[in-house]
Amino acid sequence: MTKQIRAYLAVLEEFFSAEHSEEELLKMRAELLQRIAFYQHERLIHLIVTMSFGVFFMLSLIMYFTQGGIGLLLLTVIFLVMLAAYIKHYYFLENSVQKMYLYYYKVEKL
């Protein structure tokens, strides 16, 4: 997904570096709206998953502190690693969609 978003942002950069007709701008506006909707859905799903892993991490941490055990420690570390990876990816998704909003506003002005 990261590669796909970066590639699309590069396409947008290239598109806006040149002049275009009104028809091309309307076509890009429609495509951009469709992509934004797709990535917003992706962002929502990743938010739910990220929050779930946050809850799982906190529960496993509480269980480790109350009950102890190497198994719970290992589970807590796994949840922490997964949480960090999901936070990183969600941060990228959020910033990318925000950039797409800016491009959309740019198309609206043109």
Side-chain angles (χ1 to χ4, degrees), residues 1 4-5 8 12 25-43 96-97 100-101 103-105 107-108:
M1 180 60 64
Q4 181 184 13
I5 293 173
Y8 188 65
L12 289 173
L25 288 172
L26 288 174
K27 184 178 176 186
M28 177 53 78
R29 179 178 177 255
E31 179 186 328
L32 192 52
L33 274 177
Q34 186 178 27
R35 291 280 185 128
I36 287 172
F38 174 72
Y39 293 131
Q40 280 178 332
H41 176 73
E42 188 77 19
R43 191 174 64 173
S96 298
V97 170
M100 288 181 205
Y101 288 155
Y103 284 122
Y104 179 76
Y105 297 144
V107 168
E108 289 271 304

Side-chain angles (χ1 to χ4, degrees), residues 44-58 83 86-87 90:
L44 176 63
I45 298 303
H46 279 280
L47 176 64
I48 293 168
V49 171
T50 301
M51 296 303 293
S52 297
F53 270 97
V55 169
F56 297 155
F57 168 71
M58 291 304 293
L83 180 61
Y86 274 112
I87 287 173
Y90 182 76

Side-chain angles (χ1 to χ4, degrees), residues 43-99:
R43 191 174 64 173
L44 176 63
I45 298 303
H46 279 280
L47 176 64
I48 293 168
V49 171
T50 301
M51 296 303 293
S52 297
F53 270 97
V55 169
F56 297 155
F57 168 71
M58 291 304 293
L59 289 175
S60 66
L61 186 65
I62 290 168
M63 287 178 62
Y64 172 71
F65 283 139
T66 58
Q67 297 177 1
I70 192 72
L72 282 173
L73 178 62
L74 182 61
L75 183 65
T76 303
V77 169
I78 290 171
F79 282 141
L80 179 61
V81 169
M82 293 298 293
L83 180 61
Y86 274 112
I87 287 173
K88 181 181 178 221
H89 186 66
Y90 182 76
Y91 180 79
F92 173 76
L93 280 172
E94 180 69 32
N95 287 334
S96 298
V97 170
Q98 294 296 324
K99 285 179 188 176

